[in-house]
Amino acid sequence: MKVIENRKKFFILSLLIICIGFGFMFANAKAGRGALNWDVEFTGGTSMEIDMGGEYDLAELEEIIIEATDQQSPQIQQIIGTNAVEIKLQSIDSPTRVALLNGIWKIYPSAEVTEANDISGTVSGEMQQAAIKATLIAAVAMLIYISIRFKDFRAGGSAILALIHDVLVVLAAYAIFRIPVNNAFIAVVLTILGYSVNSTIVIFDRIRENKDNFKPNQMAERIDKSIGQTLARSINTSLTTLFTIGAIYFLGVPSIKEFALPMMVGIIAGAYSSICISGSIWYTLLPKAEKTTK
């Protein structure tokens, strides 16, 4: 498998996907929809719990909310075992709230608001800071661990750069598919970081094990051989996980799908970066003497 020989192609493909994601962010921001579809948990907004008073149609309820509020991505979560729903929206003023309730009562006259709360920007700001801190702490801890484990700071650096690649690809998916950025976003990012670095370490371990089988100046051949030896394992692990998350996506409720879709993107990106990106970055960071082959 000639990964190192084709590394520039892999770098260009990754850069293209990430640039498309940033392009969508820019276009959405210019259109006034926001670069990302921030949920109320991050931006602040309105949360309402409504007892529908009987059976209801979720799609019809969504249409009522969109028409009354002009928000294209309201979050509607069914409360299992009841006829109640929890609705989360970007901040709405009193006339809009009245219009929303009148629209619901017109179709569902027995509906009753049991709880309504405004989520403050202070809480959302703390959540954003927590997400950034958690990601940075995880990245620094992995950088230190990998650098010590493989006795090469470049190995740790290449693994972290590959993880940044995965996060940016997932972020591109959030922008392209307008997936709400909420608490699940933090879980997705941290899960992908752990999953991807696990596959990368398996490959790096094999590269270290193959050290005695190659000359010091045959690093390209050594990396390619190691990736080929672990390729089946990397693909099979990713596929089995992808099938599981895929089943959750196709059978789950909307709130679960908001977690499963970016997870599937992250699993694919993690497998790709482990196989095609991490080793290539490590090779790129090596001194010229170790890149020369005979």
Side-chain angles (χ1 to χ4, degrees):
M1 189 171 182
K2 299 181 179 180
V3 172
I4 301 303
E5 182 179 323
N6 296 302
R7 65 188 183 281
K8 291 182 180 179
K9 296 178 182 178
F10 296 134
F11 290 158
I12 291 172
L13 177 59
S14 296
L15 187 61
L16 181 61
I17 293 172
I18 293 169
C19 286
I20 290 174
F22 278 103
F24 269 85
M25 291 183 202
F26 179 77
N28 289 327
K30 289 287 288 183
R33 296 190 296 266
L36 294 170
N37 185 16
W38 297 103
D39 193 1
V40 296
E41 293 162 341
F42 274 81
T43 63
T46 300
S47 174
M48 303 173 67
E49 186 175 310
I50 302 177
D51 185 345
M52 302 303 292
E55 294 184 359
Y56 61 92
D57 186 292
L58 193 62
E60 184 178 48
L61 179 59
E62 184 176 14
E63 289 180 7
I64 294 171
I65 296 172
I66 292 173
E67 183 178 351
T69 64
D70 198 31
Q71 295 186 24
Q72 299 303 311
S73 301
Q75 287 190 55
I76 309 171
Q77 185 172 354
Q78 297 172 295
I79 300 177
I80 298 174
T82 70
N83 290 317
V85 294
E86 183 181 15
I87 301 171
K88 291 182 179 179
L89 301 161
Q90 301 297 327
S91 296
I92 55 176
D93 54 24
S94 295
T96 304
R97 184 175 299 192
V98 171
L100 171 59
L101 294 177
N102 286 337
I104 293 174
W105 285 329
K106 184 178 180 180
I107 307 298
Y108 303 102
S110 300
E112 181 181 353
V113 179
T114 57
E115 187 176 346
N117 296 303
D118 289 325
I119 303 173
S120 69
T122 302
V123 174
S124 63
E126 291 174 355
M127 290 182 62
Q128 292 182 44
Q129 291 177 14
I132 294 171
K133 286 180 181 178
T135 303
L136 289 177
I137 291 172
V140 171
M142 285 186 285
L143 173 63
I144 295 172
Y145 169 73
I146 296 171
S147 299
I148 294 174
R149 179 182 176 90
F150 296 100
K151 299 178 181 179
D152 190 341
F153 187 78
R154 290 165 298 199
S158 60
I160 295 304
L161 288 174
L163 293 180
I164 293 173
H165 161 275
D166 298 340
V167 172
L168 291 177
V169 171
V170 171
L171 198 62
Y174 271 91
I176 294 170
F177 299 111
R178 298 297 290 171
I179 304 170
V181 180
N182 49 29
N183 280 335
F185 173 76
I186 303 173
V188 167
V189 170
L190 294 179
T191 303
I192 292 303
L193 289 179
Y195 180 87
S196 180
V197 78
N198 177 66
S199 297
T200 298
I201 287 178
V202 169
I203 295 174
F204 282 9
D205 255 334
R206 185 55 58 91
I207 294 173
R208 181 179 60 177
E209 291 168 1
N210 285 330
K211 182 178 181 180
D212 295 335
N213 299 327
F214 293 88
K215 296 178 181 179
N217 59 354
Q218 290 183 315
M219 193 61 176
E221 291 90 337
R222 182 174 149 199
I223 292 175
D224 284 343
K225 181 68 174 179
S226 301
I227 292 174
Q229 291 174 337
T230 57
L231 184 61
R233 184 263 184 202
S234 298
I235 293 176
N236 290 336
T237 301
S238 299
L239 282 178
T240 52
T241 308
L242 191 62
F243 291 153
T244 304
I245 300 297
I248 294 174
Y249 175 77
F250 288 108
L251 301 176
V253 297
S255 59
I256 294 297
K257 291 184 177 183
E258 292 171 3
F259 171 80
L261 179 57
M263 271 297 297
M264 289 191 293
V265 173
I267 289 169
I268 295 172
Y272 170 76
S273 69
S274 296
I275 297 169
C276 302
I277 300 297
S278 58
S280 298
I281 296 175
W282 190 359
Y283 178 81
T284 302
L285 296 176
L286 289 172
K288 187 176 180 180
E290 295 185 41
K291 296 179 183 180
T292 305
T293 58
K294 294 183 180 180

